[in-house]
């Protein structure tokens, strides 16, 4: 699209003998010609930054260009370094895509020249329209194939993987990683259609930063999915945080949402194994929701024992996973429960536990003896320590503690 727009812009610039540019609806620069005649500070800043500076954006919005149906002459603004110019709406099939710009410092553009500019704007609109149609078809095809990529059927996953690569939708570069973002509702309301659109835009925005074929996208009922080559994530480790921040911005940070959690699965060796990384990311989200210390950005590889526990159905964990010793400790004294968890997390290191709790080491030893009395376990025995440690972690995962 950009190459076609560039040809339209350069052809018009040579016919009129003046600089031409095309912006999108957010006044981000899409194409611009070589310099002809007089220029201004605004044009130079837009070309360098690819978008209008904030003060110029405010000025532009005051011009109410969204109402324009034909060429509009805009006045100069000496404070902003803006010369008089003409804005021509880029419209096709009644859809507005942006604006074509001409500097007209001497106000010398004739009606005939404005007609040429209007015709070029129509050509630019047709290019943008075709790109939108192709993009929508590509997104729909991509969504169907990514859904198949997470199928339970191994053959379906293999066919989807092959089509994604052969169709040029994904560049296969070794192992892949799945990133999942899910908003957490503050109340009973879940994700509605408007929220899904907001999440789709956030997903598209972050994916676009990865470049062409840099990531696969999927919108699910209550979360969005991004599949990327693991090497891309290593080079751009900020992607999960960018997805969270962009999602919060698009959702509007309203009282409806507590936060957006983003989870990263472990790398999968091939694209048709991405379902494993996806499942791990979902497991990590479940852990982050009930163990706040992991939120809001959680990697499956950082879950430790929780990675193993979260892979089990929660109803089975509730039935078999909480050892009676952990239940007795939780019911008897939550302070002892917390001490036991920290002591076991630190591999029975009383000094480290004392520092963490702000206690004397003798106080920790005293608490350990009380823990043994309540649980009936001997914490010098490795098997007993494992039983209690697992019981404590399952209790956390089930929201009991």
């Amino acid at each position: 699209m950009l190459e076609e727009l560039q040809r339209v812009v350069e052809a018009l610039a040579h016919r009129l003998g003046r600089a031409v540019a095309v912006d999108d609806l957010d006044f981000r620069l899409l194409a611009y010609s070589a310099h002809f005649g007089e220029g201004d500070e605004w044009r130079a800043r837009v070309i360098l930054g690819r978008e209008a500076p904030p003060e110029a954006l405010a000025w532009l919005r005051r011009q109410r260009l969204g109402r324009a149906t034909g060429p509009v002459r805009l006045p100069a603004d000496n404070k902003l370094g803006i010369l008089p110019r003409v804005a021509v709406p880029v419209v096709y099939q009644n859809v507005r895509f942006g604006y074509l710009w001409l500097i007209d410092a001497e106000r010398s553009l004739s009606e005939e020249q404005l007609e040429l500019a209007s015709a070029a704007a129509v050509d630019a609109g047709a290019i943008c329209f075709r790109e939108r149609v192709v993009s929508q078809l590509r997104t729909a095809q991509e969504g169907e194939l990514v859904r198949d990529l997470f199928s339970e059927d191994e053959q379906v996953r293999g066919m989807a993987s092959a089509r994604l690569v052969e169709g040029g939708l994904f560049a296969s570069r070794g192992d892949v990683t799945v990133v999942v973002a899910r908003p957490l509702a503050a109340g009973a309301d879940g994700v509605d259609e408007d929220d899904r659109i907001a999440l789709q835009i956030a997903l598209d925005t972050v994916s676009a930063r990865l470049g062409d074929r840099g990531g696969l996208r999927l919108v699910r009922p209550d979360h969005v999915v991004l599949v990327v080559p693991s090497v891309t994530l290593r080079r751009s480790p900020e992607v999960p945080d960018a997805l969270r921040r962009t999602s919060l911005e698009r959702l509007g940070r309203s009282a409806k949402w507590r936060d957006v959690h983003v989870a990263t699965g472990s790398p999968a060796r091939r694209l048709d194994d991405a379902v494993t990384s996806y499942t791990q990311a979902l497991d990590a989200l479940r852990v982050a929701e009930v163990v706040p210390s992991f939120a809001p950005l959680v990697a499956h590889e950082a879950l430790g024992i929780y990675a193993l526990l979260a892979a089990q159905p929660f109803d089975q964990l509730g039935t078999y996973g909480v050892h009676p010793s952990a239940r007795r400790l939780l019911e008897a004294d939550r302070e002892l429960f917390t001490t036991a968890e920290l002591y076991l997390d630190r591999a029975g290191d009383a000094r480290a536990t004392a520092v963490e709790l702000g206690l004397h080491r003798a106080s920790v030893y005293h608490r350990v003896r009380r823990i043994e009395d309540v649980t009936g376990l001997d914490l010098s025995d490795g098997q007993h320590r494992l039983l209690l440690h697992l019981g404590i972690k399952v209790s956390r995962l089930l929201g009991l503690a």
Side-chain angles (χ1 to χ4, degrees):
M1 179 190 75
L2 296 181
E3 291 179 0
E4 292 184 74
L5 282 179
Q6 190 64 38
R7 285 195 290 270
V8 169
V9 163
E10 290 176 353
L12 180 64
H14 280 92
R15 292 192 70 176
L16 300 183
R18 64 183 66 219
V20 178
V22 172
D23 291 348
D24 66 13
L25 288 173
D26 292 320
F27 302 106
R28 292 184 294 242
L29 187 63
L30 298 178
Y32 63 95
S33 70
H35 188 67
F36 288 87
E38 190 173 1
D40 59 14
E41 182 183 344
W42 183 16
R43 174 177 166 81
R45 291 182 68 182
V46 168
I47 290 174
L48 288 173
R50 305 301 296 183
E51 62 184 5
E55 61 274 19
L57 280 175
W59 180 83
L60 279 169
R61 293 191 175 105
R62 291 196 296 270
Q63 309 308 313
R64 300 183 181 278
L65 291 175
R67 300 179 179 181
T69 57
V72 178
R73 292 185 181 274
L74 300 181
D77 189 308
N78 295 329
K79 290 183 179 180
L80 296 176
I82 298 174
L83 289 173
R85 62 213 320 112
V86 172
V88 186
V90 175
V91 179
Y92 190 79
Q93 296 288 350
N94 295 319
V95 179
R96 187 179 299 254
F97 294 97
Y99 301 94
L100 182 147
W101 295 95
L102 302 164
I103 293 180
D104 192 20
E106 304 298 327
R107 299 184 182 276
S108 58
L109 278 169
S110 66
E111 289 300 318
E112 181 181 358
Q113 289 175 315
L114 290 177
E115 288 178 5
L116 289 173
S118 295
V122 171
D123 290 341
I127 293 168
C128 293
F129 185 84
R130 288 198 303 273
E131 175 65 19
R132 175 174 291 187
V133 170
V134 169
S135 178
Q136 289 172 343
L137 289 173
R138 176 189 175 110
T139 299
Q141 181 189 19
E142 178 182 321
E144 291 177 2
L145 291 174
V146 177
R147 276 191 290 273
D148 286 346
L149 196 62
F150 299 146
S151 168
E152 295 181 358
D153 188 316
E154 184 177 354
Q155 186 174 3
V156 171
R157 296 198 301 268
M159 291 175 62
S161 173
R163 289 181 62 191
L164 284 164
V165 174
E166 292 168 3
L169 295 171
F170 190 76
S172 182
R173 289 175 254 171
D175 56 0
V176 300
T177 300
V178 176
V179 182
V180 177
R182 181 166 63 200
L184 275 70
D189 294 336
V191 178
D192 60 27
E193 187 59 30
D194 289 340
D195 299 327
R196 276 188 284 275
I197 292 172
L199 291 170
Q200 172 80 71
I201 294 171
L203 184 65
D204 292 346
T205 300
V206 173
S207 179
R209 299 175 189 171
L210 303 178
D212 187 36
R213 300 191 299 163
L216 298 170
R217 299 153 295 169
L218 179 64
V219 178
R220 283 281 166 90
D222 69 343
H223 62 270
V224 293
V225 183
L226 179 64
V227 184
V228 294
S230 298
V231 65
T232 298
L233 206 55
R234 288 193 290 271
R235 291 172 180 169
S236 304
E238 73 283 358
V239 167
D241 186 49
L243 183 55
R244 174 176 175 266
R245 287 186 290 101
T246 308
S247 297
L248 284 169
E249 290 169 5
R250 291 297 179 176
L251 289 168
R253 293 181 178 270
S254 70
K256 180 178 179 180
W257 305 109
R258 288 189 285 128
D259 202 346
V260 172
H261 287 177
V262 179
T264 305
S266 298
R269 291 186 301 111
R270 302 186 307 272
L271 183 57
D272 51 352
D273 291 329
V275 64
T276 302
S277 185
Y278 174 55
T279 302
Q280 291 171 342
L282 293 178
D283 287 344
L285 284 176
R286 291 201 299 170
V287 174
E289 191 166 350
V290 295
V291 186
S293 60
F294 285 109
L297 304 175
V298 55
H300 183 265
E301 293 181 329
L303 292 180
I305 188 60
Y306 284 116
L308 175 63
L309 297 176
Q312 312 303 315
F314 273 24
D315 57 345
Q316 290 186 19
L317 281 178
T319 303
Y320 305 111
V322 182
H323 192 269
S325 61
R327 289 186 183 275
R328 287 196 295 270
L329 189 61
L330 184 61
E331 293 167 359
D333 190 328
R334 285 184 175 266
E335 185 176 61
L336 284 183
F337 183 92
T338 301
T339 300
E341 181 177 26
L342 187 58
Y343 179 73
L344 295 169
D345 284 345
R346 300 294 181 272
D349 187 331
R351 177 179 294 178
T353 305
V355 170
E356 187 78 16
L357 292 174
L359 298 173
H360 191 277
R361 204 185 327 169
S363 297
V364 173
Y365 287 132
H366 175 67
R367 288 190 182 185
V368 168
R369 286 194 295 272
R370 288 178 59 199
I371 291 166
E372 290 178 328
D373 290 340
V374 170
T375 61
L377 299 175
D378 177 2
L379 294 188
S380 65
D381 185 305
Q383 292 294 329
H384 287 196
R385 286 201 304 271
L386 179 60
L387 280 175
L388 183 58
H389 207 182
L390 282 174
I392 289 172
K393 296 306 183 185
V394 172
S395 298
R396 293 288 189 197
L397 202 55
L398 294 176
L400 302 177

